[in-house]
Amino acid sequence: MPLESNLLLTDLYQLTMLQCYDRAGLRDVAVFDFFVRRLPKSRNFLIAAGLEQALDYLEAARFSPDELDWLNGCGHFAVDFVGRLAEWRFTGDVEAMPEGTVFFAGEPILRVTAPLPEAQLVESRLINLVQYQTMIASKAARTVLAAPDRQLVDFGFRRAHGAEAGLLAARAAYLTGFAGTATVAAGQAFGILLFGTMAHSLVQAMGDDGTAFLEFARACPNNVVFLLDTYDTAEGARATVRVAKTLSREGISVRSVRIDSGDLAAHARKVRRILDDGGLRHVSIFASGGLDEYEVAKLVATGAPIAGFGVGTSLDVSADAPYLDCVYKLAEYAGRPTRKLAEGKATWPGRKQVFRQTDQDGRLLRDVIGLEEERQAGDPLLVPVMKAGKRLAPHEPLSSLRERCARQLDRLPTQLRSLEPVAPYDVQVSHAVRALAAEADALASKLREPRP
């Protein structure tokens, strides 16, 4: 799916920095890390997502003639500087954790190595693309863990914060194990399975459940899912039993019914009895209406006879954790290790790798943040994905990302699978990284000394 590639989709300071770098001749190679400083209080882990869209952006990034004309007239930039932007391209390298990888606070999940003006300009959009899908995937994964044997469907497009957000939320949720989405454009763009039922307005317009059900089934005979609770949920179930006999004679089978309001567990039990007594044991029950992972977990725990859930608003806006404290920070410039020392926001210098260690059962044991060239026990998580501004491999199929994410979730220790906050996962920083930090501090201190 082509996303917005406007290079003016950035913060003003990215462009003012480019003009400053241009004037000062700062064009040496820089290394930037993208990482999450702290996990939200309600998260025990995160899921990396959004890399495909980030790489698409880097490959396609150009200033259009219209953008250059606007920059020339906005009053912020010199004409000669804007003229040189016409040749701007991303020519750098990218290492990243593959999408679907579980990760934790402080771990670089993406590293950009490029001439400083290139690495700087892409910061805001990279954060925008990777942060959002990572946030949604991490939310969706919690529902997958809460209901591993239920069908889960993304219902959140209408409440998402814009069209791009709705489409990418469907992708992120599917990546983590959702069965599909109600968002049609996501089916077209990503090949995600589409799910949908019917609207209350059909029942209201026709006046009664039975007549509306018949018309809907005849119009959409391959997707017969009745919405029961326009007026009375139990009566909707009884109407389903009545019309199912008529439809059966016409070769049409009722697949499922949906409950969207009230006490979902109680309604589901009542509906299940009515359907079973009416000979419709094959008809499953699907529930929606203000659901999140906590509500889904409760319904599963009570044994409610619900085969699937539609999760909407809470998912597409990640209601309990609507942002990630993520940053993109310089770790090396012109071969010199650098780091930020601000209180509460200090960073680690150098080109780093994350090494994951597992126990004898393959479950996550600890991660070590080390230098790229270090030898550490465990599997390195950052892999090369772009060289000299070009992808190293074609788009990875979404089905492969799903499989990776499923394997990652299976390897989570039991305590991290909880919906409640638990003790943080063990992430260590190697002695080599700490030694490089001391070297960077000494270099920075020397550079800050007053000059005669």
Side-chain angles (χ1 to χ4, degrees), residues 7-277:
L7 272 178
L8 302 189
L9 274 174
T10 190
D11 294 298
L12 177 61
Y13 91 95
Q14 309 292 8
L15 288 162
T16 57
M17 285 299 92
L18 258 63
Q19 182 162 257
C20 184
Y21 297 154
D22 184 68
R23 179 181 174 85
L26 294 171
R27 302 183 183 90
D28 286 330
V29 171
V31 178
F32 281 83
D33 289 332
F34 178 97
F35 61 97
V36 177
R37 282 197 185 105
R38 289 172 288 274
L39 299 186
K41 292 180 181 178
S42 54
R43 300 288 181 270
N44 295 320
F45 63 89
L46 298 173
I47 300 288
L51 177 61
E52 291 291 345
Q53 285 69 42
L55 296 180
D56 286 346
Y57 161 71
L58 292 174
E59 277 197 320
R62 306 283 190 278
F63 282 98
S64 72
D66 286 346
E67 292 164 15
L68 294 171
D69 286 345
W70 187 88
L71 287 172
N72 266 324
C74 74
H76 286 285
F77 305 103
V79 173
D80 59 339
F81 165 69
V82 174
R84 286 189 285 277
L85 290 180
E87 303 303 319
W88 188 96
R89 302 289 187 272
F90 181 78
T91 64
D93 303 339
V94 179
E95 286 77 34
M97 290 187 189
E99 292 192 81
T101 301
V102 167
F103 74 96
F104 303 91
E107 300 180 341
I109 63 169
L110 183 147
R111 184 173 73 233
V112 171
T113 305
L116 181 58
E118 297 176 22
Q120 182 75 63
L121 180 59
V122 300
E123 173 187 10
S124 297
R125 184 61 166 150
L126 284 181
I127 292 176
N128 174 256
L129 288 168
V130 176
Q131 189 264 175
Y132 180 72
Q133 284 199 71
T134 295
M135 177 181 74
I136 300 302
S138 304
K139 174 76 168 174
R142 289 161 58 82
T143 310
V144 171
L145 292 174
D149 58 347
R150 304 297 204 276
Q151 183 184 75
L152 301 172
V153 180
D154 160 46
F155 269 19
F157 177 78
R158 64 185 63 188
R159 302 287 174 77
H161 295 170
E164 182 179 278
L167 287 170
L168 294 181
R171 180 184 185 274
Y174 186 72
L175 183 157
T176 63
F178 270 50
T181 181
T183 304
V184 178
Q188 178 194 34
F190 306 121
I192 298 173
L193 292 176
L194 296 178
F195 292 83
T197 56
M198 57 183 289
H200 292 292
S201 55
L202 177 64
V203 179
Q204 292 172 280
M206 303 204 75
D208 72 281
D209 293 309
T211 304
F213 291 172
L214 284 171
E215 289 301 320
F216 175 72
R218 289 164 177 163
C220 304
N222 297 321
N223 182 38
V224 182
V225 182
F226 294 149
L227 183 57
L228 301 186
D229 61 337
T230 303
Y231 298 123
D232 179 271
T233 302
E235 179 52 38
R238 286 188 281 269
T240 299
V241 172
R242 292 194 299 271
V243 304
K245 298 173 183 176
T246 301
L247 293 172
S248 179
R249 292 192 292 269
E250 299 175 17
I252 299 173
S253 177
V254 179
R255 192 181 78 188
S256 183
V257 294
R258 175 181 159 209
I259 307 169
D260 191 52
S261 59
D263 185 332
L264 295 175
H267 283 313
R269 292 187 178 93
K270 185 180 293 185
V271 167
R272 185 74 272 161
R273 287 194 296 271
I274 293 170
L275 295 178
D276 289 352
D277 291 346

